[in-house]
Amino acid sequence: MDYAQNRRRLIRLIRIYPLIALAVLALAYLLGGFSNRENPIISQDVVITALYLFVGVVPLMFIIGFIAVGKASDKAGLKNNMHSKLNYNQAFDLPSEVMHGYKLALITARPPSLTGLTGDAYLSDASAKCTINKEHVPPVADCECGFYAYSDLIEAKFERSINPGAFLLDVDLYGVGFKYARGYRAETQVVNELITPSRCQFCRILPAKVFVTTYKLGYDDISWWQWHIRCVICSSSFKDKDKLSIDQMSASLKLLIS
Ligand SMILES: [Zn+2]
Ligand SMILES: [Zn+2]
């Protein structure tokens, strides 16, 4: 079973849930469920029961769906882990192929730099460091360290759609590497290019043209600058010092931007 695909389907369904809810309300209204007429087409009791079911049962089904998909993914992960442990013990059998993949990153700070979604900053050419055990040279089979990348562009694009501030990176991974259920985990990572979304990250309508930065306040007094790409209109209120053209961003990150 392709759990990643099932997870994508579930999330898509959740996105249209409000629309379905509105449609159900409209239908109930049209059928007279909310009126005090003597002989409505369907009685108010039926409408109210149906609405309760809709509000209660549907989210429950989503939760059950996510638990099922999560369990399946854990199982797949376990199988994969056993597989990678086997590989690890037979170091000479490790794949020496270049692992090409995609991943998500944020652009933060001034001057701008790439930051993984887990919060660790990295250069466009870097070796992974383990934050759990300093003795590790990532990736270590039993640990979580190493650079991760999706092998499938469609999956990476989908993940970007649920992380709206993130950018897509095209990466090559080298060194010791493991395959895991959704892609690769490896020692060294080279970022080939940053793929910008075609539309403005703010209005999502007009073409994306300019990078702008905003100051974010987080918990525990953590605050940071985060960069987004916007259209000409949505970037017009920014001061010049808070804007970068695509070429300037490319020079600053020392990275190809397409
Ligand atoms: Zn580690
Ligand atoms: Zn815009």
Side-chain angles (χ1 to χ4, degrees), residues 41 47 50 53 62 71 78 86 97 102 121 132 136 139-140 149-150 152 167 174 183-185 202 208 220 241:
I41 304 173
V47 171
L53 280 177
F62 277 126
K71 275 221 168 112
L78 205 67
L86 197 71
E97 57 180 322
Y102 304 90
I132 297 164
H136 284 176
V140 170
Y150 299 108
D152 182 11
F167 293 90
Y174 299 95
Y184 307 107
R185 175 156 77 93
F202 192 71
D220 296 335
K241 69 176 178 64

Side-chain angles (χ1 to χ4, degrees), residues 66 91 153 157 199 214 237 252:
F66 272 111
L153 179 60
K157 280 192 170 165
R199 290 167 202 250
T214 47
S237 64
S252 184

